[in-house]
Amino acid sequence: MHVFILAGFSEVLQIQYFLFAFFLCVFKTALLAHMFIILLYRLSPSLHTPMYFFLANFSFLEICYLTNIVPKMLINFLSHLKTITFYGCAIQMSFFLIEASAECYMLAAMAYDRYNAICHPLLYNNVMGKTVCIKLVCVCWIIGIPIGVLQTSLIFSLQFCDSNRINNFYCDIPPLMSLACNKTQFNEIIMLIITFIVVIGPFILTVISYTNIIWTILKHHPAGMRKKAFSTCTSHLIVVSLFFGSGTIMYLRPNSSHGMNEEKFLSLVYTIFAPLMNPFVYTLRNNDVKNAVKKIIGEIKIVFRIIREKL
C-alpha cells in the first residue's frame, strides 16, 4: 500500500468548494493573527516579559500546527483523488503528534507563568527569569519529539488491510488503527498511556494553576479587579478545556466507539478552531497588546510625517 485516501467531509462538489472557501478564510485569519502576535512581540519592548515570550512561542507552535494539517486539507477539497502517500502520511502524523504534545505542555507552562505572576508577584522575576522561560519552551518541544516518533513508528509498523481510506481529513492514530489487519491492543494501550502523559498530566497542572490563581484573586484582590481577572481566567479555561477535552475524548475512547462525524468534529476543534480562537482569547483582547499596537501605529505615523515633510 503506497497511498492512502483522506475521506474529508463531503463528496458533493459544491459543498467541497464552500468548505474550501470557509477553511481558507479560517486558515488565513489564524495565520495572520499568530504572525501579528510574533511581530508585535519582536517590535514592542514593553511586551518583552515572560508572559508574552510564552505567547509568541505559542503562536509559532500554532503556525507549525496549522501549516502541517490545513494546506493538504485545502488541496483535497479541490482534488478528485484526495490521496496522501504512505510516507507523507507518516511525516504528517509525526509532526502533528510532536506539535500537539508540545502544545499541551506549553499551555501548562503558560498557566504556571500566570500562577507565579498572580500568586507570587514578589518572587516572579526571580522564578520566571529569561533562562527558565527558554528552558521551559525547549522542554515542551523535547517532550513531543520521542512521543511523535514512537507513536508514528508503532502505527506504521502495523499491516494495513485492503482498504486504504482514512476516515478523516488528515493522518491521525484512531482512523489508521481501524485500517489495520492485525490486532491493535498493544497500540491502544500505548496510546492510552501517552494520552495520560501528554494530555491528562498537563491538563491537571493547568487546572491546579488556575485554581490557585482564582483562590488568590478571591482572597487578595479588590472587587473591582476580580471581574477583569475572572474574565481572563474564564476565557483561558474555555480554550484549554476545548483543546484538552476534545483530545481526551478522541484518544481515550475505545477504538470501536469512534463515530465518523463525531471523530471529524473533535479533530476540527483541536486542529483548526482552537488555534483560531487562541490569539483572540490570549492576546488580542489584552490592554497591553492594544497599547503596544497604538504605540507602533503612532511611531509609523511619525515616520510617514517626516518622510512627507522631506519630500
Side-chain angles (χ1 to χ4, degrees), residues 3 7 18 24 98 118 180 187 190 195 209 222 225 236 267 271 285:
V3 297
F18 168 77
L24 180 63
I98 290 169
I118 294 172
N187 296 76
I190 295 297
T195 301
S209 295
M225 295 178 64
H236 291 190
S267 298
T271 59
R285 294 168 64 248

Side-chain angles (χ1 to χ4, degrees), residues 177-197:
M177 279 203 297
S178 67
L179 300 180
C181 299
N182 43 345
K183 294 180 180 180
T184 60
Q185 285 91 339
F186 177 73
N187 296 76
E188 290 181 21
I189 291 168
I190 295 297
M191 185 175 70
L192 289 174
I193 293 169
I194 289 178
T195 301
F196 272 101
I197 294 170

Side-chain angles (χ1 to χ4, degrees), residues 35-48 288-304:
M35 290 169 67
F36 173 76
I37 290 167
I38 294 170
L39 185 63
L40 191 65
Y41 171 77
R42 297 291 299 173
L43 296 177
S44 304
S46 62
L47 298 183
H48 289 179
D288 292 335
V289 172
K290 291 177 182 177
N291 292 332
V293 170
K294 289 177 183 177
K295 187 175 180 181
I296 290 174
I297 291 173
E299 290 173 353
I300 292 171
K301 286 181 179 178
I302 292 170
V303 170
F304 275 113

Side-chain angles (χ1 to χ4, degrees), residues 38 52-62 106 137 141:
I38 294 170
Y52 293 104
F53 172 79
F54 283 115
L55 286 170
N57 279 277
F58 186 69
S59 286
F60 172 74
L61 174 57
E62 294 279 55
M106 191 82 76
V137 170
W141 281 101

Side-chain angles (χ1 to χ4, degrees), residues 33-273:
H34 286 295
M35 290 169 67
F36 173 76
I37 290 167
I38 294 170
L39 185 63
L40 191 65
Y41 171 77
R42 297 291 299 173
L43 296 177
S44 304
S46 62
L47 298 183
H48 289 179
T49 63
M51 175 182 173
Y52 293 104
F53 172 79
F54 283 115
L55 286 170
N57 279 277
F58 186 69
S59 286
F60 172 74
L61 174 57
E62 294 279 55
I63 289 171
C64 295
Y65 202 68
L66 286 164
T67 52
N68 181 39
I69 300 294
V70 182
K72 183 62 178 174
M73 181 181 74
L74 293 174
I75 290 169
N76 284 343
F77 280 135
L78 303 179
S79 172
H80 293 291
L81 297 176
K82 306 184 189 306
T83 59
I84 185 169
T85 64
F86 181 88
Y87 292 109
C89 189
I91 291 168
Q92 186 186 61
M93 177 185 286
S94 181
F95 277 103
F96 164 72
L97 292 172
I98 290 169
E99 291 151 1
S101 303
E103 181 158 349
C104 289
Y105 279 93
M106 191 82 76
L107 287 167
M110 290 162 65
Y112 176 68
D113 170 66
R114 290 298 82 208
Y115 162 75
N116 281 298
I118 294 172
C119 300
H120 304 290
L122 298 178
L123 299 173
Y124 179 66
N125 291 329
N126 291 328
V127 174
M128 299 302 296
K130 186 176 181 180
T131 304
V132 173
C133 293
I134 293 171
K135 286 180 179 178
L136 282 172
V137 170
C138 291
V139 166
C140 292
W141 281 101
I142 291 169
I143 288 172
I145 293 171
I147 289 170
V149 173
L150 172 64
Q151 278 282 54
T152 304
S153 301
L154 288 173
I155 291 299
F156 283 88
S157 64
L158 295 170
Q159 294 294 320
F160 296 106
C161 298
D162 295 333
S163 176
N164 64 341
R165 186 180 176 84
I166 298 173
N167 183 31
N168 213 325
F169 56 92
Y170 70 102
C171 293
D172 199 5
I173 297 171
L176 271 165
M177 279 203 297
S178 67
L179 300 180
C181 299
N182 43 345
K183 294 180 180 180
T184 60
Q185 285 91 339
F186 177 73
N187 296 76
E188 290 181 21
I189 291 168
I190 295 297
M191 185 175 70
L192 289 174
I193 293 169
I194 289 178
T195 301
F196 272 101
I197 294 170
V198 171
V199 180
I200 305 300
F203 179 68
I204 291 171
L205 292 173
T206 303
V207 169
I208 290 171
S209 295
Y210 277 111
T211 302
N212 281 289
I213 288 169
I214 292 169
W215 178 249
T216 302
I217 291 169
L218 287 172
K219 281 183 67 177
H220 301 294
H221 287 68
M225 295 178 64
R226 287 177 191 172
K227 185 177 179 181
K228 179 183 175 183
F230 276 127
S231 174
T232 303
C233 288
T234 303
S235 300
H236 291 190
L237 282 172
I238 288 170
V239 174
V240 167
S241 299
L242 277 174
F243 182 79
F244 283 115
S246 56
T248 301
I249 295 169
M250 186 77 173
Y251 296 108
L252 288 184
R253 292 182 303 166
N255 197 36
S256 59
S257 69
H258 287 182
M260 185 193 315
N261 295 325
E262 184 184 357
E263 186 174 286
K264 291 177 185 178
F265 173 75
L266 290 170
S267 298
L268 276 176
V269 170
Y270 63 77
T271 59
I272 297 176
F273 291 126

